[in-house]
Amino acid sequence: MENKVNINGIKEQLSQKANQENIRLEPLEQPTKQVSEQVIEPPVKKVEQKFTSTKEPKKTSESMDIIKIIAPFIKDEQRKDYLLSVYNYYLNSEQIAICTTNSKIDTFIHLATQGLDPLMEEVYLTPTYKNNLYILNYYYSYKGLKNQAFRTGLVKQIETNCVFQGDTFSVSICPPSIQHTPNFLSKRDELSLICAYSIMTYVDDTISIEIMSKNEIEKLRQMNPNSKAWLNYSTMAQVKVLKRHLSKLPKVQSYDFTDTEADVTI
């Protein structure tokens, strides 16, 4: 479906409007310590298909304009009102309100196009401080990657895991298969991790595998070394191998598994 929305023109209009209305697009003062990543936490009370915040977020003129821009990009009509309510909640949160207009538009257009739900932790929104501005970034969670894979209609099962020193591990390329027997009596930490893998079963029962070595995982971590997500090293290793695996799926209905960290080529 073709969208005739002139995004660049709207961005310029919003930026001019922000200046006229004195909307905060820059932080009030430079933080004493540079912020590399600050995850916007969802409300404590979670819902599945109905947004039931006990406090209605205050709607700003800018957030309402952005909602109007992103609404046509939501393909799922059944979830449209729900997703717009969720996006409005985050757009009016204190952490996101200080981010630049362009970064908010770019991020929420991607979320709308892909039908991603930050409230259900399918994606994390992270303001990053750079060049005296807060830029809004977005990162897929493990749950979000799996949900997107199933939404394509190509995948019916996904399994990921990490291999540690002391495990029994073997790989067959043709036919693709992995045999893994964990040794839970040995250390299972960052230092003893050897690799991470993903096994994907398609709807036609064919199987594909993806393996990422410790060196490849480390290269990805160096792209964002201060991220708190890496405190759970094995989980992030599985996120990275799954992300690369999904990047090899055929393009279906414009599903996109890339995020702010364009690391799938490593």
Side-chain angles (χ1 to χ4, degrees):
M1 180 178 66
E2 182 180 359
N3 276 300
K4 296 183 179 180
V5 180
N6 185 353
I7 300 303
N8 292 330
I10 294 175
K11 287 181 180 179
E12 183 177 352
Q13 293 175 16
L14 279 179
S15 296
Q16 294 174 356
K17 187 174 182 180
N19 292 331
Q20 295 171 0
E21 299 182 7
N22 197 26
I23 295 176
R24 290 166 54 199
L25 301 182
E26 298 183 6
L28 295 179
E29 59 182 9
Q30 182 172 340
T32 56
K33 186 175 182 180
Q34 181 164 326
V35 178
S36 60
E37 182 177 289
Q38 181 183 7
V39 177
I40 306 301
E41 297 292 344
V44 175
K45 184 177 181 180
K46 295 181 182 178
V47 295
E48 291 189 2
Q49 290 299 326
K50 186 177 180 181
F51 187 75
T52 57
S53 174
T54 56
K55 183 178 180 181
E56 181 69 18
K58 182 180 178 181
K59 295 182 180 180
T60 65
S61 173
E62 185 191 46
S63 69
M64 294 175 66
D65 287 338
I66 294 177
I67 288 294
K68 291 178 183 178
I69 294 172
I70 65 179
F73 289 89
I74 300 178
K75 300 185 289 287
D76 189 344
E77 291 295 330
Q78 292 183 343
R79 300 174 67 219
K80 188 170 185 176
D81 290 342
Y82 163 74
L83 287 174
L84 289 176
S85 296
V86 172
Y87 298 160
N88 177 68
Y89 177 90
Y90 281 90
L91 279 167
N92 287 283
S93 67
E94 181 179 353
Q95 299 96 324
I96 290 180
I98 61 175
C99 294
T100 64
T101 302
N102 285 354
S103 69
K104 285 186 283 191
I105 293 175
D106 291 340
T107 292
F108 280 94
I109 282 180
H110 180 86
L111 267 58
T113 302
Q114 301 302 311
L116 293 169
D117 185 353
L119 182 66
M120 300 306 294
E121 299 182 0
E122 291 185 335
V123 65
Y124 298 117
L125 304 178
T126 61
T128 301
Y129 188 72
K130 185 177 181 181
N131 298 329
N132 296 323
L133 295 172
Y134 280 107
I135 307 298
L136 183 60
N137 296 320
Y138 57 94
Y139 303 93
Y140 274 102
S141 67
Y142 180 80
K143 177 181 179 181
L145 288 172
K146 290 188 71 173
N147 287 349
Q148 283 295 84
F150 296 138
R151 286 171 186 150
T152 65
L154 297 176
V155 180
K156 70 176 184 179
Q157 184 175 342
I158 295 173
E159 179 184 352
T160 64
N161 210 337
C162 292
V163 180
F164 298 88
Q165 295 176 12
D167 291 358
T168 301
F169 182 70
S170 62
V171 180
S172 172
I173 302 300
C174 188
S177 66
I178 290 178
Q179 300 295 324
H180 179 205
T181 304
N183 180 2
F184 294 107
L185 297 179
S186 62
K187 288 186 177 181
R188 310 186 70 77
D189 55 20
E190 175 183 343
L191 295 177
S192 59
L193 187 142
I194 297 174
C195 66
Y197 65 84
S198 168
I199 305 174
M200 198 176 301
T201 304
Y202 302 102
V203 292
D204 61 358
D205 290 326
T206 58
I207 294 175
S208 70
I209 61 176
E210 186 74 24
I211 301 174
M212 185 174 285
S213 69
K214 175 70 173 294
N215 286 339
E216 291 175 308
I217 294 169
E218 277 299 304
K219 287 181 181 179
L220 296 178
R221 179 164 74 162
Q222 293 307 313
M223 289 183 171
N224 198 6
N226 296 322
S227 171
K228 294 181 180 179
W230 282 100
L231 294 175
N232 194 333
Y233 192 88
S234 61
T235 297
M236 282 300 291
Q238 292 176 69
V239 167
K240 297 305 181 183
V241 69
L242 177 57
K243 187 177 175 183
R244 187 167 73 178
H245 200 176
L246 291 173
S247 72
K248 299 177 181 180
L249 281 176
K251 298 295 182 182
V252 178
Q253 299 177 1
S254 301
Y255 282 102
D256 184 0
F257 297 98
T258 60
D259 53 26
T260 304
E261 285 185 329
D263 54 27
V264 294
T265 58
I266 291 183

